[in-house]
Amino acid sequence: MRITIDRDRCIGSGQCVMTAPGVFTQDDDAVVALVPGHEDGAADPRVHDVPLVCPVQAVAIFED
Amino acid sequence: MTEAEIRLSRASASFPQDRTCPYQPPRAYAQWRGESPLTKVTLFDGRPAWLVTGHAEGRALLVDPRLSSDWGHPVFPVVVQRTEGRGGLAFPLIGVDDPLHARQRRMLIPSFGVKRMNAIRPRLQSLVDKLLDDMLAKGPVADLVSAFALPVPSMAICELLGVPYGDHDFFEECSRNFVGAATSAEADAAFAELCTYLHGLVVKKRAEPADGLLDELIARQLAEGHLDHDEVVMIALVLLVAGHETTVNAIALGALTLVQHPEQIEVLLRDPAAVSGVVEELLRFTSVSDYIVRMAKEDIEVGGETIKAGDAVLVSISLMNRDARAYENPDVFDARRNARHHVGFGHGIHQCLGQNLARAELEIALGTLFARIPGLRLAVPLEEVPIKAGHDAQGPIELPVTW
């Protein structure tokens, strides 16, 4: 699994963090970031719901 | 008639309409359900508009940059008569498009980030406890709106912004008149009073900095020339009003929906961790914001129809949240369903900035309310609960409860 985040597009809704806190976090500016060491998404099974709940399509998931 | 009016002249039903049950879409909306995801309606001034009722179609449109939120555009649709004379005034955040919107939002999101919202939960809890202590001490009957649902978000947004809560009677009334007055003259007067008050507050804060979002905006953005004084005043106005006119309805409508579905209160009482799911389902089911207003900047093909540049587009939050293609048995309030992809906070770049503050307030307010008063019930028949007009944020005006 590969996760891409578009930090320019992010509006800081926090939906990714609320849905899959094992993989997503917010930096000090409340912009989306990946939790270090968990960029492969394996740390949280709900990671697949994130593209659905992100209001601006800033998160994409590609299955290898 | 203009070309758009001729093209949409089949439009018949007026929009929006008043609810009869506080937490159900207006009965007249039934005609638009289960058919096309897009239909035609007429606004109060006779202008035809598209109404988007499909969950998938609405979400796609709300992320589509061809739809504009620019309230300053000369033909941006007017849905509520009292805002008719306010043309050209593009409020920060809510009434502007990117890239201006993105610039304003980026300045504000750190104050509403997930970490910041989690950090204020203990403060919200003590606030809720105190309000319930007072309400219980006075004894039944209580008006849950004035005793609880209004002061929770009012105190919370004041603390977050750094606005003195001691002035709350004044700006709660201004806020109510700004968004809920019967005439545009009353709404304009409330707007002017709020502007004057917040102008004075920003002047004071520039001289005597304190803690709060407005102080941070002044210290970082205003001092460095990214914002001017008037922009700070208008941002303060938008956040103060938005903080007052939304969560109060969500708490009151949430409590009302739960007391009408006592078996669902059991879900809350058995498992306090379930409160987050209960709140998401309440946000879906009650749809406090009934609709979102947009204007097409270009032609857009949706559901076999063509929205033309300049057309008014209303995205129906309440019908998207009740779309049977998105939710099984959508008219059933089921606190155990996964409702997370509801559009109660909107969708796209304008999705509610304060949504995580609202979630924290709702979870703590409703979780604590029913933990402390599990036997809470209405003191009057449901039909006698006075509710707001269809064009306002939806919710009870008063909510008499007993226990």
Side-chain angles (χ1 to χ4, degrees), chain A residues 7-8 10-11 13-15 18-19 26 28-31 46 52 54-56, chain B residues 59 63 105-106 109-110 113-115 340-341 347-349 351 355-356 359:
Chain A
R7 288 170 47 84
D8 289 334
C10 177
I11 58 161
S13 77
Q15 295 306 287
M18 309 266 293
T19 303
Q26 288 182 330
D28 290 344
D29 294 325
V31 174
R46 295 183 64 201
L52 181 73
C54 175
V56 291
Chain B
R59 278 167 52 106
V63 296
R105 182 148 180 151
R106 280 286 168 124
I109 57 174
V114 174
K115 288 173 198 162
R340 273 203 66 85
H341 58 307
H347 194 65
I349 61 169
Q351 192 184 53
Q355 61 181 295
N356 293 318
R359 283 191 171 93

PDB file of all heavy atoms in Angstrom, chain A residues 7-8 10-11 13-15 18-19 26 28-31 46 52 54-56, chain B residues 59 63 105-106 109-110 113-115 340-341 347-349 351 355-356 359:
ATOM      1  N   ARG A   7      -0.296  18.257   0.783  1.00  0.00           N
ATOM      2  CA  ARG A   7      -0.327  19.223   1.889  1.00  0.00           C
ATOM      3  C   ARG A   7      -0.802  20.599   1.421  1.00  0.00           C
ATOM      4  O   ARG A   7      -1.319  21.370   2.219  1.00  0.00           O
ATOM      5  CB  ARG A   7       1.050  19.297   2.566  1.00  0.00           C
ATOM      6  CG  ARG A   7       1.347  18.028   3.393  1.00  0.00           C
ATOM      7  CD  ARG A   7       2.800  17.973   3.876  1.00  0.00           C
ATOM      8  NE  ARG A   7       3.264  19.213   4.474  1.00  0.00           N
ATOM      9  CZ  ARG A   7       3.062  19.566   5.743  1.00  0.00           C
ATOM     10  NH1 ARG A   7       2.409  18.773   6.553  1.00  0.00           N
ATOM     11  NH2 ARG A   7       3.538  20.703   6.194  1.00  0.00           N
ATOM     12  N   ASP A   8      -0.625  20.913   0.147  1.00  0.00           N
ATOM     13  CA  ASP A   8      -1.105  22.200  -0.362  1.00  0.00           C
ATOM     14  C   ASP A   8      -2.633  22.234  -0.425  1.00  0.00           C
ATOM     15  O   ASP A   8      -3.257  23.275  -0.256  1.00  0.00           O
ATOM     16  CB  ASP A   8      -0.540  22.473  -1.758  1.00  0.00           C
ATOM     17  CG  ASP A   8       0.942  22.777  -1.699  1.00  0.00           C
ATOM     18  OD1 ASP A   8       1.394  23.245  -0.633  1.00  0.00           O
ATOM     19  OD2 ASP A   8       1.650  22.525  -2.692  1.00  0.00           O
ATOM     20  N   CYS A  10      -4.650  20.390   1.543  1.00  0.00           N
ATOM     21  CA  CYS A  10      -5.233  20.127   2.880  1.00  0.00           C
ATOM     22  C   CYS A  10      -5.859  21.388   3.475  1.00  0.00           C
ATOM     23  O   CYS A  10      -5.285  22.469   3.412  1.00  0.00           O
ATOM     24  CB  CYS A  10      -4.133  19.606   3.805  1.00  0.00           C
ATOM     25  SG  CYS A  10      -4.688  19.338   5.507  1.00  0.00           S
ATOM     26  N   ILE A  11      -7.067  21.226   4.077  1.00  0.00           N
ATOM     27  CA  ILE A  11      -7.715  22.351   4.769  1.00  0.00           C
ATOM     28  C   ILE A  11      -7.742  22.127   6.279  1.00  0.00           C
ATOM     29  O   ILE A  11      -8.453  22.830   7.009  1.00  0.00           O
ATOM     30  CB  ILE A  11      -9.143  22.601   4.253  1.00  0.00           C
ATOM     31  CG1 ILE A  11     -10.010  21.345   4.413  1.00  0.00           C
ATOM     32  CG2 ILE A  11      -9.140  23.103   2.815  1.00  0.00           C
ATOM     33  CD1 ILE A  11     -11.504  21.622   4.363  1.00  0.00           C
ATOM     34  N   SER A  13      -9.037  19.728   8.149  1.00  0.00           N
ATOM     35  CA  SER A  13     -10.297  19.278   8.753  1.00  0.00           C
ATOM     36  C   SER A  13     -10.051  18.257   9.860  1.00  0.00           C
ATOM     37  O   SER A  13     -10.876  18.097  10.754  1.00  0.00           O
ATOM     38  CB  SER A  13     -11.222  18.666   7.695  1.00  0.00           C
ATOM     39  OG  SER A  13     -10.776  17.362   7.367  1.00  0.00           O
ATOM     40  N   GLY A  14      -8.944  17.531   9.754  1.00  0.00           N
ATOM     41  CA  GLY A  14      -8.620  16.539  10.774  1.00  0.00           C
ATOM     42  C   GLY A  14      -9.349  15.218  10.606  1.00  0.00           C
ATOM     43  O   GLY A  14      -9.246  14.334  11.455  1.00  0.00           O
ATOM     44  N   GLN A  15     -10.085  15.062   9.506  1.00  0.00           N
ATOM     45  CA  GLN A  15     -10.850  13.823   9.313  1.00  0.00           C
ATOM     46  C   GLN A  15      -9.950  12.595   9.214  1.00  0.00           C
ATOM     47  O   GLN A  15     -10.311  11.506   9.653  1.00  0.00           O
ATOM     48  CB  GLN A  15     -11.719  13.943   8.053  1.00  0.00           C
ATOM     49  CG  GLN A  15     -12.785  14.995   8.167  1.00  0.00           C
ATOM     50  CD  GLN A  15     -13.624  14.763   9.389  1.00  0.00           C
ATOM     51  OE1 GLN A  15     -14.428  13.846   9.440  1.00  0.00           O
ATOM     52  NE2 GLN A  15     -13.410  15.562  10.413  1.00  0.00           N
ATOM     53  N   MET A  18      -8.834  11.729  12.791  1.00  0.00           N
ATOM     54  CA  MET A  18      -9.946  11.168  13.568  1.00  0.00           C
ATOM     55  C   MET A  18     -10.235   9.733  13.124  1.00  0.00           C
ATOM     56  O   MET A  18     -10.667   8.912  13.922  1.00  0.00           O
ATOM     57  CB  MET A  18     -11.206  12.002  13.330  1.00  0.00           C
ATOM     58  CG  MET A  18     -11.019  13.473  13.535  1.00  0.00           C
ATOM     59  SD  MET A  18     -11.451  13.977  15.164  1.00  0.00           S
ATOM     60  CE  MET A  18     -13.186  13.687  15.104  1.00  0.00           C
ATOM     61  N   THR A  19     -10.018   9.448  11.829  1.00  0.00           N
ATOM     62  CA  THR A  19     -10.385   8.140  11.297  1.00  0.00           C
ATOM     63  C   THR A  19      -9.265   7.114  11.508  1.00  0.00           C
ATOM     64  O   THR A  19      -9.529   5.986  11.926  1.00  0.00           O
ATOM     65  CB  THR A  19     -10.701   8.277   9.788  1.00  0.00           C
ATOM     66  OG1 THR A  19     -11.736   9.239   9.634  1.00  0.00           O
ATOM     67  CG2 THR A  19     -11.151   6.945   9.205  1.00  0.00           C
ATOM     68  N   GLN A  26      -1.386  15.700  12.468  1.00  0.00           N
ATOM     69  CA  GLN A  26      -1.314  17.071  11.963  1.00  0.00           C
ATOM     70  C   GLN A  26      -0.040  17.709  12.493  1.00  0.00           C
ATOM     71  O   GLN A  26       0.325  17.480  13.657  1.00  0.00           O
ATOM     72  CB  GLN A  26      -2.527  17.893  12.434  1.00  0.00           C
ATOM     73  CG  GLN A  26      -3.832  17.501  11.753  1.00  0.00           C
ATOM     74  CD  GLN A  26      -5.009  18.364  12.206  1.00  0.00           C
ATOM     75  OE1 GLN A  26      -5.045  18.854  13.332  1.00  0.00           O
ATOM     76  NE2 GLN A  26      -5.988  18.530  11.316  1.00  0.00           N
ATOM     77  N   ASP A  28       2.332  21.262  13.346  1.00  0.00           N
ATOM     78  CA  ASP A  28       2.006  22.410  14.207  1.00  0.00           C
ATOM     79  C   ASP A  28       1.101  23.419  13.518  1.00  0.00           C
ATOM     80  O   ASP A  28       0.437  24.224  14.172  1.00  0.00           O
ATOM     81  CB  ASP A  28       3.292  23.108  14.671  1.00  0.00           C
ATOM     82  CG  ASP A  28       4.056  22.245  15.668  1.00  0.00           C
ATOM     83  OD1 ASP A  28       3.447  21.296  16.215  1.00  0.00           O
ATOM     84  OD2 ASP A  28       5.252  22.505  15.886  1.00  0.00           O
ATOM     85  N   ASP A  29       1.067  23.387  12.175  1.00  0.00           N
ATOM     86  CA  ASP A  29       0.163  24.271  11.436  1.00  0.00           C
ATOM     87  C   ASP A  29      -1.190  23.606  11.177  1.00  0.00           C
ATOM     88  O   ASP A  29      -2.003  24.123  10.412  1.00  0.00           O
ATOM     89  CB  ASP A  29       0.797  24.671  10.095  1.00  0.00           C
ATOM     90  CG  ASP A  29       2.034  25.533  10.298  1.00  0.00           C
ATOM     91  OD1 ASP A  29       2.042  26.328  11.258  1.00  0.00           O
ATOM     92  OD2 ASP A  29       2.985  25.404   9.503  1.00  0.00           O
ATOM     93  N   ALA A  30      -1.413  22.419  11.781  1.00  0.00           N
ATOM     94  CA  ALA A  30      -2.634  21.629  11.608  1.00  0.00           C
ATOM     95  C   ALA A  30      -2.817  21.140  10.174  1.00  0.00           C
ATOM     96  O   ALA A  30      -3.932  20.905   9.720  1.00  0.00           O
ATOM     97  CB  ALA A  30      -3.873  22.387  12.093  1.00  0.00           C
ATOM     98  N   VAL A  31      -1.701  20.974   9.474  1.00  0.00           N
ATOM     99  CA  VAL A  31      -1.748  20.413   8.119  1.00  0.00           C
ATOM    100  C   VAL A  31      -1.392  18.927   8.197  1.00  0.00           C
ATOM    101  O   VAL A  31      -0.572  18.511   9.019  1.00  0.00           O
ATOM    102  CB  VAL A  31      -0.759  21.167   7.196  1.00  0.00           C
ATOM    103  CG1 VAL A  31      -0.684  20.516   5.822  1.00  0.00           C
ATOM    104  CG2 VAL A  31      -1.188  22.630   7.068  1.00  0.00           C
ATOM    105  N   ARG A  46      -8.320   1.266   9.593  1.00  0.00           N
ATOM    106  CA  ARG A  46      -9.330   2.201   9.079  1.00  0.00           C
ATOM    107  C   ARG A  46      -8.752   3.176   8.061  1.00  0.00           C
ATOM    108  O   ARG A  46      -9.455   4.065   7.580  1.00  0.00           O
ATOM    109  CB  ARG A  46      -9.967   2.956  10.252  1.00  0.00           C
ATOM    110  CG  ARG A  46     -10.761   2.015  11.169  1.00  0.00           C
ATOM    111  CD  ARG A  46     -11.434   2.786  12.270  1.00  0.00           C
ATOM    112  NE  ARG A  46     -12.422   3.715  11.730  1.00  0.00           N
ATOM    113  CZ  ARG A  46     -12.871   4.775  12.387  1.00  0.00           C
ATOM    114  NH1 ARG A  46     -12.418   5.051  13.583  1.00  0.00           N
ATOM    115  NH2 ARG A  46     -13.759   5.573  11.838  1.00  0.00           N
ATOM    116  N   LEU A  52     -12.370   8.565   1.682  1.00  0.00           N
ATOM    117  CA  LEU A  52     -13.815   8.818   1.660  1.00  0.00           C
ATOM    118  C   LEU A  52     -14.198   9.999   2.555  1.00  0.00           C
ATOM    119  O   LEU A  52     -15.098  10.773   2.225  1.00  0.00           O
ATOM    120  CB  LEU A  52     -14.552   7.555   2.135  1.00  0.00           C
ATOM    121  CG  LEU A  52     -16.075   7.602   2.153  1.00  0.00           C
ATOM    122  CD1 LEU A  52     -16.626   7.557   0.738  1.00  0.00           C
ATOM    123  CD2 LEU A  52     -16.642   6.444   2.979  1.00  0.00           C
ATOM    124  N   CYS A  54     -12.010  12.451   3.732  1.00  0.00           N
ATOM    125  CA  CYS A  54     -11.286  13.703   3.480  1.00  0.00           C
ATOM    126  C   CYS A  54     -12.157  14.608   2.612  1.00  0.00           C
ATOM    127  O   CYS A  54     -12.587  14.220   1.541  1.00  0.00           O
ATOM    128  CB  CYS A  54      -9.957  13.440   2.786  1.00  0.00           C
ATOM    129  SG  CYS A  54      -9.129  15.005   2.335  1.00  0.00           S
ATOM    130  N   PRO A  55     -12.433  15.833   3.078  1.00  0.00           N
ATOM    131  CA  PRO A  55     -13.356  16.694   2.326  1.00  0.00           C
ATOM    132  C   PRO A  55     -12.778  17.272   1.042  1.00  0.00           C
ATOM    133  O   PRO A  55     -13.528  17.812   0.222  1.00  0.00           O
ATOM    134  CB  PRO A  55     -13.667  17.824   3.324  1.00  0.00           C
ATOM    135  CG  PRO A  55     -12.500  17.861   4.243  1.00  0.00           C
ATOM    136  CD  PRO A  55     -11.995  16.449   4.344  1.00  0.00           C
ATOM    137  N   VAL A  56     -11.469  17.190   0.865  1.00  0.00           N
ATOM    138  CA  VAL A  56     -10.861  17.861  -0.299  1.00  0.00           C
ATOM    139  C   VAL A  56      -9.991  16.932  -1.148  1.00  0.00           C
ATOM    140  O   VAL A  56      -9.210  17.390  -1.977  1.00  0.00           O
ATOM    141  CB  VAL A  56     -10.021  19.086   0.137  1.00  0.00           C
ATOM    142  CG1 VAL A  56     -10.931  20.191   0.666  1.00  0.00           C
ATOM    143  CG2 VAL A  56      -8.984  18.711   1.186  1.00  0.00           C
TER     144      VAL A  56
ATOM    145  N   ARG B  59     -21.604  15.443  -2.970  1.00  0.00           N
ATOM    146  CA  ARG B  59     -20.200  15.452  -2.538  1.00  0.00           C
ATOM    147  C   ARG B  59     -19.278  15.795  -3.703  1.00  0.00           C
ATOM    148  O   ARG B  59     -18.301  16.521  -3.532  1.00  0.00           O
ATOM    149  CB  ARG B  59     -19.835  14.107  -1.918  1.00  0.00           C
ATOM    150  CG  ARG B  59     -20.276  13.993  -0.454  1.00  0.00           C
ATOM    151  CD  ARG B  59     -20.203  12.566   0.071  1.00  0.00           C
ATOM    152  NE  ARG B  59     -18.913  11.941  -0.138  1.00  0.00           N
ATOM    153  CZ  ARG B  59     -18.017  11.719   0.831  1.00  0.00           C
ATOM    154  NH1 ARG B  59     -18.271  12.077   2.070  1.00  0.00           N
ATOM    155  NH2 ARG B  59     -16.887  11.110   0.551  1.00  0.00           N
ATOM    156  N   VAL B  63     -16.794  19.497  -4.061  1.00  0.00           N
ATOM    157  CA  VAL B  63     -15.336  19.612  -4.250  1.00  0.00           C
ATOM    158  C   VAL B  63     -15.005  20.168  -5.635  1.00  0.00           C
ATOM    159  O   VAL B  63     -13.842  20.283  -6.001  1.00  0.00           O
ATOM    160  CB  VAL B  63     -14.588  18.268  -4.048  1.00  0.00           C
ATOM    161  CG1 VAL B  63     -14.737  17.783  -2.622  1.00  0.00           C
ATOM    162  CG2 VAL B  63     -15.054  17.207  -5.035  1.00  0.00           C
ATOM    163  N   ARG B 105      -7.997  30.479   5.517  1.00  0.00           N
ATOM    164  CA  ARG B 105      -8.190  29.259   6.308  1.00  0.00           C
ATOM    165  C   ARG B 105      -6.878  28.778   6.927  1.00  0.00           C
ATOM    166  O   ARG B 105      -6.856  28.332   8.071  1.00  0.00           O
ATOM    167  CB  ARG B 105      -8.813  28.171   5.435  1.00  0.00           C
ATOM    168  CG  ARG B 105      -9.092  26.899   6.221  1.00  0.00           C
ATOM    169  CD  ARG B 105     -10.304  26.156   5.725  1.00  0.00           C
ATOM    170  NE  ARG B 105     -10.529  24.954   6.512  1.00  0.00           N
ATOM    171  CZ  ARG B 105     -11.715  24.410   6.724  1.00  0.00           C
ATOM    172  NH1 ARG B 105     -12.789  24.949   6.214  1.00  0.00           N
ATOM    173  NH2 ARG B 105     -11.844  23.321   7.441  1.00  0.00           N
ATOM    174  N   ARG B 106      -5.788  28.883   6.163  1.00  0.00           N
ATOM    175  CA  ARG B 106      -4.488  28.442   6.684  1.00  0.00           C
ATOM    176  C   ARG B 106      -4.080  29.193   7.946  1.00  0.00           C
ATOM    177  O   ARG B 106      -3.407  28.659   8.807  1.00  0.00           O
ATOM    178  CB  ARG B 106      -3.409  28.622   5.613  1.00  0.00           C
ATOM    179  CG  ARG B 106      -3.392  27.521   4.570  1.00  0.00           C
ATOM    180  CD  ARG B 106      -2.802  26.265   5.151  1.00  0.00           C
ATOM    181  NE  ARG B 106      -3.027  25.130   4.279  1.00  0.00           N
ATOM    182  CZ  ARG B 106      -2.060  24.361   3.796  1.00  0.00           C
ATOM    183  NH1 ARG B 106      -0.813  24.604   4.089  1.00  0.00           N
ATOM    184  NH2 ARG B 106      -2.358  23.326   3.032  1.00  0.00           N
ATOM    185  N   ILE B 109      -6.487  27.418  10.851  1.00  0.00           N
ATOM    186  CA  ILE B 109      -6.598  25.994  11.197  1.00  0.00           C
ATOM    187  C   ILE B 109      -5.740  25.550  12.385  1.00  0.00           C
ATOM    188  O   ILE B 109      -6.159  24.645  13.100  1.00  0.00           O
ATOM    189  CB  ILE B 109      -6.390  25.046   9.978  1.00  0.00           C
ATOM    190  CG1 ILE B 109      -5.048  25.262   9.305  1.00  0.00           C
ATOM    191  CG2 ILE B 109      -7.544  25.162   9.004  1.00  0.00           C
ATOM    192  CD1 ILE B 109      -4.774  24.232   8.192  1.00  0.00           C
ATOM    193  N   PRO B 110      -4.584  26.187  12.656  1.00  0.00           N
ATOM    194  CA  PRO B 110      -3.860  25.710  13.856  1.00  0.00           C
ATOM    195  C   PRO B 110      -4.701  25.849  15.130  1.00  0.00           C
ATOM    196  O   PRO B 110      -4.600  25.034  16.044  1.00  0.00           O
ATOM    197  CB  PRO B 110      -2.630  26.617  13.905  1.00  0.00           C
ATOM    198  CG  PRO B 110      -2.424  27.052  12.493  1.00  0.00           C
ATOM    199  CD  PRO B 110      -3.815  27.194  11.926  1.00  0.00           C
ATOM    200  N   GLY B 113      -7.056  22.792  15.209  1.00  0.00           N
ATOM    201  CA  GLY B 113      -6.458  21.492  14.910  1.00  0.00           C
ATOM    202  C   GLY B 113      -6.860  20.431  15.925  1.00  0.00           C
ATOM    203  O   GLY B 113      -7.337  20.744  17.019  1.00  0.00           O
ATOM    204  N   VAL B 114      -6.666  19.177  15.558  1.00  0.00           N
ATOM    205  CA  VAL B 114      -7.106  18.060  16.399  1.00  0.00           C
ATOM    206  C   VAL B 114      -6.406  18.099  17.763  1.00  0.00           C
ATOM    207  O   VAL B 114      -7.038  17.896  18.807  1.00  0.00           O
ATOM    208  CB  VAL B 114      -6.851  16.721  15.675  1.00  0.00           C
ATOM    209  CG1 VAL B 114      -7.163  15.545  16.596  1.00  0.00           C
ATOM    210  CG2 VAL B 114      -7.698  16.637  14.410  1.00  0.00           C
ATOM    211  N   LYS B 115      -5.110  18.407  17.776  1.00  0.00           N
ATOM    212  CA  LYS B 115      -4.382  18.439  19.060  1.00  0.00           C
ATOM    213  C   LYS B 115      -4.949  19.541  19.958  1.00  0.00           C
ATOM    214  O   LYS B 115      -5.165  19.342  21.150  1.00  0.00           O
ATOM    215  CB  LYS B 115      -2.886  18.707  18.811  1.00  0.00           C
ATOM    216  CG  LYS B 115      -2.156  17.520  18.185  1.00  0.00           C
ATOM    217  CD  LYS B 115      -0.723  17.900  17.793  1.00  0.00           C
ATOM    218  CE  LYS B 115      -0.159  16.891  16.807  1.00  0.00           C
ATOM    219  NZ  LYS B 115       1.001  17.407  16.077  1.00  0.00           N
ATOM    220  N   ARG B 340     -20.106   8.105   9.440  1.00  0.00           N
ATOM    221  CA  ARG B 340     -19.011   9.078   9.372  1.00  0.00           C
ATOM    222  C   ARG B 340     -18.967   9.900   8.081  1.00  0.00           C
ATOM    223  O   ARG B 340     -18.448  11.003   8.087  1.00  0.00           O
ATOM    224  CB  ARG B 340     -17.664   8.381   9.571  1.00  0.00           C
ATOM    225  CG  ARG B 340     -17.283   8.249  11.035  1.00  0.00           C
ATOM    226  CD  ARG B 340     -15.790   8.107  11.202  1.00  0.00           C
ATOM    227  NE  ARG B 340     -15.085   9.300  10.810  1.00  0.00           N
ATOM    228  CZ  ARG B 340     -14.890  10.340  11.614  1.00  0.00           C
ATOM    229  NH1 ARG B 340     -15.339  10.310  12.831  1.00  0.00           N
ATOM    230  NH2 ARG B 340     -14.234  11.401  11.201  1.00  0.00           N
ATOM    231  N   HIS B 341     -19.462   9.362   6.975  1.00  0.00           N
ATOM    232  CA  HIS B 341     -19.371  10.150   5.741  1.00  0.00           C
ATOM    233  C   HIS B 341     -20.610  11.042   5.523  1.00  0.00           C
ATOM    234  O   HIS B 341     -20.916  11.428   4.410  1.00  0.00           O
ATOM    235  CB  HIS B 341     -19.102   9.249   4.528  1.00  0.00           C
ATOM    236  CG  HIS B 341     -20.135   8.174   4.318  1.00  0.00           C
ATOM    237  ND1 HIS B 341     -20.503   7.301   5.305  1.00  0.00           N
ATOM    238  CD2 HIS B 341     -20.866   7.830   3.230  1.00  0.00           C
ATOM    239  CE1 HIS B 341     -21.415   6.466   4.822  1.00  0.00           C
ATOM    240  NE2 HIS B 341     -21.654   6.777   3.579  1.00  0.00           N
ATOM    241  N   HIS B 347     -18.894  19.700   2.883  1.00  0.00           N
ATOM    242  CA  HIS B 347     -17.874  18.894   2.222  1.00  0.00           C
ATOM    243  C   HIS B 347     -17.123  19.844   1.303  1.00  0.00           C
ATOM    244  O   HIS B 347     -17.635  20.896   0.940  1.00  0.00           O
ATOM    245  CB  HIS B 347     -18.556  17.769   1.428  1.00  0.00           C
ATOM    246  CG  HIS B 347     -17.626  16.680   0.979  1.00  0.00           C
ATOM    247  ND1 HIS B 347     -16.977  15.865   1.865  1.00  0.00           N
ATOM    248  CD2 HIS B 347     -17.226  16.287  -0.263  1.00  0.00           C
ATOM    249  CE1 HIS B 347     -16.222  15.001   1.176  1.00  0.00           C
ATOM    250  NE2 HIS B 347     -16.359  15.244  -0.109  1.00  0.00           N
ATOM    251  N   GLY B 348     -15.890  19.482   0.944  1.00  0.00           N
ATOM    252  CA  GLY B 348     -15.103  20.376   0.096  1.00  0.00           C
ATOM    253  C   GLY B 348     -14.328  21.391   0.935  1.00  0.00           C
ATOM    254  O   GLY B 348     -14.280  21.297   2.165  1.00  0.00           O
ATOM    255  N   ILE B 349     -13.764  22.396   0.251  1.00  0.00           N
ATOM    256  CA  ILE B 349     -12.858  23.326   0.942  1.00  0.00           C
ATOM    257  C   ILE B 349     -13.541  24.124   2.044  1.00  0.00           C
ATOM    258  O   ILE B 349     -12.891  24.599   2.959  1.00  0.00           O
ATOM    259  CB  ILE B 349     -12.173  24.310  -0.050  1.00  0.00           C
ATOM    260  CG1 ILE B 349     -13.210  25.165  -0.792  1.00  0.00           C
ATOM    261  CG2 ILE B 349     -11.257  23.573  -1.014  1.00  0.00           C
ATOM    262  CD1 ILE B 349     -12.585  26.323  -1.564  1.00  0.00           C
ATOM    263  N   GLN B 351     -15.742  22.948   4.174  1.00  0.00           N
ATOM    264  CA  GLN B 351     -16.238  22.126   5.278  1.00  0.00           C
ATOM    265  C   GLN B 351     -15.926  22.836   6.606  1.00  0.00           C
ATOM    266  O   GLN B 351     -14.835  23.378   6.786  1.00  0.00           O
ATOM    267  CB  GLN B 351     -15.601  20.727   5.256  1.00  0.00           C
ATOM    268  CG  GLN B 351     -16.308  19.755   6.196  1.00  0.00           C
ATOM    269  CD  GLN B 351     -15.613  18.389   6.252  1.00  0.00           C
ATOM    270  OE1 GLN B 351     -14.415  18.304   6.507  1.00  0.00           O
ATOM    271  NE2 GLN B 351     -16.350  17.333   5.977  1.00  0.00           N
ATOM    272  N   GLN B 355     -15.437  22.121  13.105  1.00  0.00           N
ATOM    273  CA  GLN B 355     -16.120  20.837  13.284  1.00  0.00           C
ATOM    274  C   GLN B 355     -15.583  20.017  14.445  1.00  0.00           C
ATOM    275  O   GLN B 355     -16.353  19.321  15.122  1.00  0.00           O
ATOM    276  CB  GLN B 355     -16.090  20.006  12.006  1.00  0.00           C
ATOM    277  CG  GLN B 355     -14.703  19.640  11.523  1.00  0.00           C
ATOM    278  CD  GLN B 355     -14.775  18.837  10.228  1.00  0.00           C
ATOM    279  OE1 GLN B 355     -15.282  17.738  10.210  1.00  0.00           O
ATOM    280  NE2 GLN B 355     -14.294  19.413   9.142  1.00  0.00           N
ATOM    281  N   ASN B 356     -14.287  20.093  14.709  1.00  0.00           N
ATOM    282  CA  ASN B 356     -13.760  19.268  15.794  1.00  0.00           C
ATOM    283  C   ASN B 356     -14.014  19.889  17.157  1.00  0.00           C
ATOM    284  O   ASN B 356     -14.143  19.176  18.157  1.00  0.00           O
ATOM    285  CB  ASN B 356     -12.284  18.954  15.554  1.00  0.00           C
ATOM    286  CG  ASN B 356     -12.133  18.049  14.335  1.00  0.00           C
ATOM    287  OD1 ASN B 356     -12.910  17.109  14.172  1.00  0.00           O
ATOM    288  ND2 ASN B 356     -11.196  18.373  13.463  1.00  0.00           N
ATOM    289  N   ARG B 359     -17.594  18.749  17.618  1.00  0.00           N
ATOM    290  CA  ARG B 359     -17.641  17.340  18.038  1.00  0.00           C
ATOM    291  C   ARG B 359     -17.311  17.208  19.522  1.00  0.00           C
ATOM    292  O   ARG B 359     -17.981  16.484  20.260  1.00  0.00           O
ATOM    293  CB  ARG B 359     -16.650  16.513  17.227  1.00  0.00           C
ATOM    294  CG  ARG B 359     -17.114  16.189  15.842  1.00  0.00           C
ATOM    295  CD  ARG B 359     -16.200  15.145  15.193  1.00  0.00           C
ATOM    296  NE  ARG B 359     -16.774  14.694  13.948  1.00  0.00           N
ATOM    297  CZ  ARG B 359     -16.478  15.239  12.750  1.00  0.00           C
ATOM    298  NH1 ARG B 359     -15.593  16.217  12.667  1.00  0.00           N
ATOM    299  NH2 ARG B 359     -17.071  14.788  11.664  1.00  0.00           N
TER     300      ARG B 359
END
